[in-house]
Structures are given as structure tokens and as C-alpha cells.
Amino acid sequence: MADFTTEQIRNLAVLGHTGAGKSSLLEALLFQAHAIPQMGCVDKGTNHADFTAQEQEHKHSLEPAFLSLNIDEHQINLIDTPGLPDFFGRALLPLPGVESVLLVINANTGIEPITQRSFEAARAQGKVVLIVINHIDGNGDKLPALVEDIQRRFGHRCLPVNLPSRDLEQVMDCYLHPPQEAAGEPLFHTLSAARDELVDTVLEEDEALMDLYLEQGESLDAEQLHAPLETALRLGHLVPVCFTSAGTQVGVTALLELITALCPNPLEANPPQFMCGSGADAKPVTVSRSPDDHVLAHVFRVAIDPFFGRMGVFRVHQGTIQLGMKLLIGDSRKPFKVTGLFKLQGDKQLPVTRAVAGDICALSKIDELQPGAVLHDCHEEDEFHLPDPMLPQPIFGLAVSARRRGDEQKLAEVLNKLVVEDPSLNVTRSEAEGQTILQGQGDLHLQIALEKAHSVYNLDLDTAVPAVAYRETITQLARARYRHKKQSGGAGQFGEVELLLEPLPRGAGFEFVNKVVGGSVPGQYIPAVEKGVKEAMNAGVLAGYPMQDIRVSLLDGKHHSVDSKEIAFVMAGKKAFMDAARLASAVILEPIVQLQVCVSQDHVGDITGDISANRGIICGTQALTTGKVEVAAEAPLATVEDYSTRLKSMTGGDGQFVMAFKRYEAVPDYVQKTLIAEASAKASAS
């Protein structure tokens, strides 16, 4: 493969709601750049992005897929992402590895829930967004309203950089080239007015260049506009909008030109947010992004093959990785040798000898690779890391168990592999219920994971509906003192602690603070007290649910020079916490989810009535350009676990919805009494 410099590289993730035509658009881009001899088809399972057996069976993108093309002395790395709501977490995984996002919108269906969430996620991570309105063929009458809707939802700085012609057989450039009014007539707007809007927006932050623009008769060349354009894109002050039809390939060549001309190279984009250290002591560090500096790369995708082992896809942020060199993973002392270095092209692994700063490549057969792992060649970067990816919290779960006897150990291994490949999955253990819980974004998300466990790892699973992930917390200050003393001949046990419990805001988690003075509890026993507190929190005090959002302060205690031991302070911490928690007006919390339901006008009343009847709150309704209505609501997860079935029943299969975790809230008194009674009855029965 040809070598490219960092300045010649463009990295883009392709996001959008299912049905927007992302995979088809990628096929068209690859074909126009002569990267493939002919275009594949999603319905036939021949497109280059959806190459796994599961994707071909379901006819949907289920995994991030990596493709690249070379054009006009540029290398463009493209990452196709799933558009199904259940796989939004997987779609977000590649964002730390790219500078830009192609947000694809179906001209026929308009802005859909995943479109909105993708835009917000991309901008939250400082990515340049280029909006692509796809499938314009046959939808010309909807385009003006759709552009207005985009500007209303995403901001008035979302401006067309080209316009479709009236016959929809070409797109007409508004920015890169001088307006060619004679080349045809745009479907809406005018080329000169569109260009003026773009230039004015680009120059808003540069008064000196604006003065020059006016002095030169409102004229600037592309070179003069490049620096302010780069700034406007990086800050989100400009979001370019363009038009394509993947089926007829209208606008595809123009899109390739826009990517090379507008999207930033790795040196121009917002720098990666590397930190050094852990916890509150972590400090931001500056990355040079030079190909001649120390190597610094991070792994953002791991795939595990039962036959070929573990493969990690990584982004080089600094330095150059060469075949044969030695690299370190995180703070490991032992380096590994780079023996297999690849560019991914769909299901193909193309060997390369180096990866420069800004490039995206893959390593194979390195068992220590994990999502988020930092690769480097200097111990000075041992503690470098990127913030954890902002993935949606899992809200659906299945209790899973091995169907075949003797597969219990294999169950743990397979579940771990599934989570490594897809960190938007989560595995927890409910000690109260004796269940292993596989959690995900929805029914389909979990179904695909179970299918993979069977087809790839030969593990069949039995499933059951798990208990809702309730939590417990406290609502007021309380303190308690407990002495653990045990004497049974020989060495005894002695430990005494005094704890203060304070409620924290929702989502704050757990804090343990040591306020002991004078050595009343020796330093070596402080971790034992914290361990006992955590054990008590995991067991709960009302109905056996784990506790959260609590600050525990160790105020005082006593020890014995002979009988004090770690186990004594574990027990003292545990008992003192439980005594204090009972005095702190504990409550049960339930997960609240955010619902976005898209239905026809005829069904809005049924939807709002059903949500309200199930302890939900309607947050608002909005008419969409497609003629449907989007209902925004919040509801307890316990009341909408079967929402997919209910929605189909109410709308005859016409409705769609997206659900995402929002927060935890205290349950009503009558629900709390019911949950406590059920827990008590269960404990008595056992």
C-alpha cells in the first residue's frame, strides 16, 4: 500500500439511523475512488462493510467496519457503524479514533432518534460533523423542509455546501468552486446566496479577514479561507450539509472532494484528551501528534476470533509504529514485538510495514489488548490514558446460565469475550437472586450476543427475565459505632469504628473518607473498614439491593495491640454501616428511562395515555417532517420492560421507539412496601 503523511490522512466515522443508507453510501464512495471493482448490495449481503454471517443474516450493520480509500493523494479511513438503536453504544466506540463524523440522514424519513443522539455525541467529543442527506432521488419535494428541520434541531449554522439540481441528477457546489449559475438551476435557494452565508459564517470569528474580504469586493480564495474554516468546523460554528444518492451516485464524487477539502487532518483537529495518572490526581497532557515523536496510540476496538486470536484496532496519535518494533501496553513492564500490522478493508487484513501518526491500523495475536489500552514505547507514558468512552448505560437484562453441564467456567470466559468486543454490554452478578445478568440496550442487542455465543463460541445459554436493577440509598445523615469483639481461647478479634453516613446527589456513587486523627484506627486497618462498608452496601438494608450515592466517613475507633486484626475491622465496618443506614431513612431507587416514541398522529393519544397510566411523564410532542409525531417521555424501567410488545399492539406494528437510561429515582411508598415484603417472603422461604 502507498505511504501517506499525517497531513494526507482523513479519519471519519459514518453514523446515522438505520435505513439512512450508510453502508450503501460507503459502497458508492469506494467504487468512485476505484477501491472496489463493483458496488456490493446490502440486501444481497455483498456489501463490504457487512461481512459477518450475523450481519448478512439480519441485513443490518451490527459491528463497526473499517474501510479505506486513496484519492487525490489522500488516504481516507472510513468506519461504518450500526444504525439500529440497540447498537448505538457500538456506533460510539470509534469516535475517539477519528476527527470527523459523516452524519447520514435519509431524505425520505428525515431526522430520526439515532440521528439526534449521534449529532450530540459527536459534538460532545469535539468532532467535526458533516451532514449528508442521502437518497435524494425521488424525494426532492422533501429537501427544503428537511434542511429547515436540520437547522432548527442542530442549529442555524448547518449550511449547505452544495445544492441538488431541480432534476436531482447532479449537485452544484456552493463553496469550493466559484458559483456556476449557468451549470443548472438548484432545487431551492441560490448558489451565490448559499456561498455568501457560508463565507459570512466562516469569517464571523476573524474580524481582520472579514475586513479583507470586504476590501477585495467580497472575494477570498480557498487558501485565505482555509484557516478560519478549520477553526469554524472544529468549534462547531459551521456544520456543512451536502446531498447524495448512493443508488444513482449523484453527489458521491462531490462528497469525496468535500472530505479531502473540508474535513481536518489529524494535525488540524481538536487534540486527543490524554490524561496522566489516576482518579483525582490525573492531569491532562499535551500530545505533539508528530510522527517523529514517541509512539502513543490507543486501542478502541477489539475483535476475538476463536481460531486467529485477538485483534486490536488502534489509532496512532503520536510517533510512527514500525513492523518489528517493541511496544508497551499501559503500565506493563514487558514489551511485545509488533509482528503483524494491518490495514483493514472489510473482512480483509492488508499487511503494512508502518503506521504514522493519525493512521488507523490493527494488531493481531496480542492477548493483552483491551478496549482503551494505550500503546507506547517509552515508560514516561506508562500512566497515559484517555477518558472512558461515553457509552449509554445498559437498561435491559437477561439472566443467563449454561445449558450444558460442565460449561459454567466457559460461561464466564465467553461473557468476558463478548464484553471485550462490545463494551456497551455489561455482566453483573445478582447475589440476592443468584443470577448472572447480561445487560444491553435492548432485546435485539442481547439476542445478537446470545447468537454469537452459540455460533462463534459453541455455548448454548438458557435465559430468564431478571429482577429490575433496583438500588438503595439514604436520605439523611446518621452515625453509628460498633465494636467487634471475639474471644474463644487463644488469639481474639477486636475492632471498633464510628461511621458517619451522608447522602450524595444521584449518580455520585460512593465515597469513603478517612477522618481518623490520633491513630485510634491504625492506617493498616483503614482499607479493612472500607471493605466491610462495601460488603454491607452490596447487601443493602431494606430489600437486599446494592446501595449507592453515599459518603461514608470514618470518624473514630479503637484497636487492641494484640487482638486487632483485619477481619475484626471488616466486621466492625460492616455492622456499623448497617446500623447507621437503618437510622438514615433508607429508600429504594428505581431506574428511570427516557423514551422517544415515533408514531402516526392517530396513535398519539393511545401512547400518551399508556405511558401516563404506567407512572410515566410526557415531556413533550413534536411533529416531524415525515408526517409522524415524536413523543418524548420518562418512565420507570419496571413499567416499560415489555414496551416493544405494547407498542406493537397499540400501533399495529407502525410505531418505533428508542429507550435510554436517564437516572435513578426513589420509588413511591407503595412500591417500596411491596418490594420489601417480597424480599422478606423470599428470605423466609429460603
Side-chain angles (χ1 to χ4, degrees):
M1 296 184 69
D3 285 337
F4 291 91
T5 65
T6 301
E7 292 85 351
Q8 293 173 307
I9 294 172
R10 304 289 186 272
N11 297 311
L12 301 98
V14 185
L15 275 69
H17 202 92
T18 184
K22 300 183 299 296
S23 299
S24 299
L25 182 61
L26 283 170
E27 289 292 306
L29 290 170
L30 292 168
F31 181 71
Q32 285 290 339
H34 307 293
I36 55 175
Q38 61 183 21
M39 290 178 57
C41 176
V42 174
D43 291 336
K44 295 179 180 178
T46 57
N47 67 306
H48 292 73
D50 302 336
F51 56 84
T52 69
Q54 275 189 307
E55 288 174 320
Q56 292 174 357
E57 178 184 349
H58 289 274
K59 291 184 171 54
H60 281 290
S61 297
L62 303 175
E63 310 271 2
F66 300 85
L67 301 157
S68 62
L69 60 88
N70 304 332
I71 190 166
D72 295 335
E73 298 183 345
H74 288 84
Q75 176 176 272
I76 302 175
N77 294 318
L78 298 162
I79 307 177
D80 187 28
T81 66
L84 289 164
D86 279 17
F87 298 95
F88 185 58
R90 294 187 185 185
L92 297 181
L93 288 175
L95 286 187
V98 302
E99 294 81 42
S100 306
V101 166
L102 285 188
L103 183 60
V104 185
I105 300 176
N106 187 328
N108 183 47
T109 55
I111 298 173
E112 298 175 274
I114 292 301
T115 317
Q116 181 88 34
R117 294 174 70 187
S118 297
F119 181 84
E120 292 169 355
R123 286 306 309 147
Q125 295 192 37
K127 306 304 174 184
V128 170
V129 178
L130 174 58
I131 294 177
V132 182
I133 298 177
N134 193 28
H135 296 316
I136 63 172
D137 47 307
N139 291 302
D141 57 324
K142 299 177 180 178
L143 298 181
L146 178 53
V147 171
E148 290 180 8
D149 197 25
I150 289 170
Q151 292 173 338
R152 182 171 53 83
R153 301 275 284 270
F154 302 148
H156 68 279
R157 296 171 189 255
C158 297
L159 299 175
V161 289
N162 60 37
L163 293 168
S165 62
R166 282 195 175 277
D167 57 11
L168 300 179
E169 292 184 0
Q170 62 172 321
V171 296
M172 309 168 71
D173 179 76
C174 307
Y175 186 80
L176 297 177
H177 308 290
Q180 299 290 327
E181 299 287 0
E185 188 178 354
L187 179 68
F188 61 94
H189 213 6
T190 66
L191 298 181
S192 57
R195 179 178 171 80
D196 289 344
E197 279 186 280
L198 285 163
V199 173
D200 289 347
T201 301
V202 168
L203 297 181
E204 275 181 10
E205 308 300 321
D206 193 325
E207 292 184 11
L209 199 57
M210 175 65 86
D211 292 340
L212 179 62
Y213 173 63
L214 297 173
E215 287 174 13
Q216 295 182 175
E218 298 189 354
S219 175
L220 289 172
D221 59 36
E223 187 174 338
Q224 291 172 307
L225 286 168
H226 181 78
L229 170 67
E230 173 198 319
T231 302
L233 291 170
R234 183 161 40 84
L235 297 177
H237 290 171
L238 172 64
V239 178
V241 179
C242 64
F243 300 83
T244 63
S245 170
T248 63
Q249 299 192 50
V250 168
V252 174
T253 301
L255 177 56
L256 285 170
E257 185 181 16
L258 288 169
I259 290 172
T260 58
L262 300 187
C263 292
N265 67 51
L267 298 176
E268 296 172 326
N270 290 318
Q273 299 174 326
F274 273 96
M275 307 290 288
C276 181
S278 59
D281 297 327
K283 298 287 190 296
V285 291
T286 301
V287 176
S288 72
R289 295 184 276 182
S290 167
D292 302 319
D293 212 330
H294 290 305
V295 168
L296 193 62
H298 93 283
V299 177
F300 60 88
R301 160 80 172 144
V302 171
I304 303 174
D305 187 283
F307 303 104
F308 300 106
R310 186 172 296 215
M311 181 181 68
V313 183
F314 63 90
R315 158 67 187 272
V316 186
H317 292 281
Q318 179 178 288
T320 300
I321 295 179
Q322 305 273 3
L323 195 65
M325 76 185 306
K326 291 185 177 181
L327 294 176
L328 296 158
I329 302 176
D331 59 1
S332 64
R333 301 287 95 189
K334 185 179 178 182
F336 70 91
K337 186 176 181 180
V338 178
T339 56
L341 191 59
F342 305 95
K343 289 288 290 185
L344 297 180
Q345 188 73 344
D347 61 343
K348 295 183 176 61
Q349 299 178 7
L350 308 177
V352 294
T353 58
R354 69 170 195 152
V356 300
D359 207 355
I360 295 174
C361 289
L363 289 165
S364 62
K365 299 181 180 177
I366 309 295
D367 292 339
E368 294 77 16
L369 292 179
Q370 298 283 345
V374 172
L375 310 177
H376 57 99
D377 61 353
C378 176
H379 283 297
E380 293 177 7
E381 284 98 29
D382 280 356
E383 295 188 16
F384 280 26
H385 62 91
L386 285 169
D388 292 334
M390 297 182 288
L391 302 180
Q393 182 164 331
I395 54 174
F396 284 89
L398 283 175
V400 294
S401 58
R403 183 173 301 167
R404 292 190 295 265
R405 213 169 187 179
D407 274 353
E408 289 77 16
Q409 180 61 36
K410 188 176 182 180
L411 170 66
E413 294 172 357
V414 170
L415 291 179
N416 178 63
K417 289 177 179 178
L418 292 174
V419 172
V420 166
E421 290 193 288
D422 180 5
S424 62
L425 289 169
N426 188 36
V427 177
T428 61
R429 177 72 184 171
S430 171
E431 298 300 338
E433 305 292 334
Q435 294 177 320
T436 297
I437 312 297
L438 178 64
Q439 296 175 310
Q441 300 302 310
D443 293 339
L444 182 59
H445 194 195
L446 297 175
Q447 176 194 333
I448 293 298
L450 297 177
E451 286 180 7
K452 191 163 191 176
H454 167 75
S455 61
V456 177
Y457 300 110
N458 192 30
L459 176 67
D460 292 320
L461 299 173
D462 287 326
T463 63
V465 178
V468 173
Y470 292 107
R471 296 288 186 266
E472 297 179 17
T473 193
I474 60 173
T475 58
Q476 63 185 41
L477 290 169
R479 72 171 67 199
R481 194 176 186 101
Y482 187 87
R483 174 182 291 180
H484 175 77
K485 185 176 181 180
K486 185 176 181 183
Q487 194 77 40
S488 56
Q493 296 178 8
F494 182 89
E496 183 174 332
V497 299
E498 182 178 358
L499 301 178
L500 172 68
L501 275 57
E502 303 172 72
L504 291 176
R506 294 286 176 264
F510 165 67
E511 293 180 17
F512 183 83
V513 183
N514 177 21
K515 293 185 178 180
V516 170
V517 293
S520 58
V521 178
Q524 68 264 33
Y525 297 129
I526 303 298
V529 178
E530 183 176 359
K531 180 180 178 182
V533 167
K534 287 181 176 178
E535 287 181 2
M537 288 183 67
N538 286 335
V541 294
L542 291 176
Y545 300 115
M547 304 190 76
Q548 65 182 36
D549 304 336
I550 301 173
R551 178 186 292 122
V552 179
S553 299
L554 175 59
L555 303 179
D556 194 14
K558 290 183 180 179
H559 72 285
H560 190 277
S561 58
V562 176
D563 290 343
S564 284
K565 296 178 178 63
E566 183 177 316
I567 183 61
F569 280 96
V570 170
M571 295 303 298
K574 187 173 183 177
K575 295 292 187 181
F577 177 90
M578 293 174 68
D579 288 347
R582 292 188 182 100
L583 300 172
S585 300
V587 295
I588 296 176
L589 303 174
E590 65 181 345
I592 303 296
V593 296
Q594 189 175 41
L595 277 168
Q596 285 179 285
V597 189
C598 183
V599 294
S600 63
Q601 179 67 51
D602 296 342
H603 296 117
V604 171
D606 295 331
I607 298 302
T608 56
D610 176 74
I611 291 172
S612 299
N614 285 278
R615 296 199 286 124
I617 297 172
I618 305 301
C619 302
T621 60
Q622 181 174 327
L624 304 178
T625 56
T626 56
K628 293 196 173 185
V629 176
E630 183 179 274
V631 179
E634 293 180 358
L637 176 60
T639 68
V640 291
E641 281 192 302
D642 62 344
Y643 195 70
S644 177
T645 303
R646 279 162 38 201
L647 182 62
K648 286 178 183 176
S649 175
M650 287 185 287
T651 65
D654 181 51
Q656 293 182 316
F657 78 101
V658 174
M659 191 183 298
F661 173 81
K662 184 70 174 176
R663 62 184 177 278
Y664 271 94
E665 273 188 7
V667 300
D669 287 343
Y670 75 91
V671 175
Q672 178 159 310
K673 289 176 182 177
T674 300
L675 292 172
I676 292 174
E678 289 175 353
S680 178
K682 195 167 190 177
S684 300
S686 59

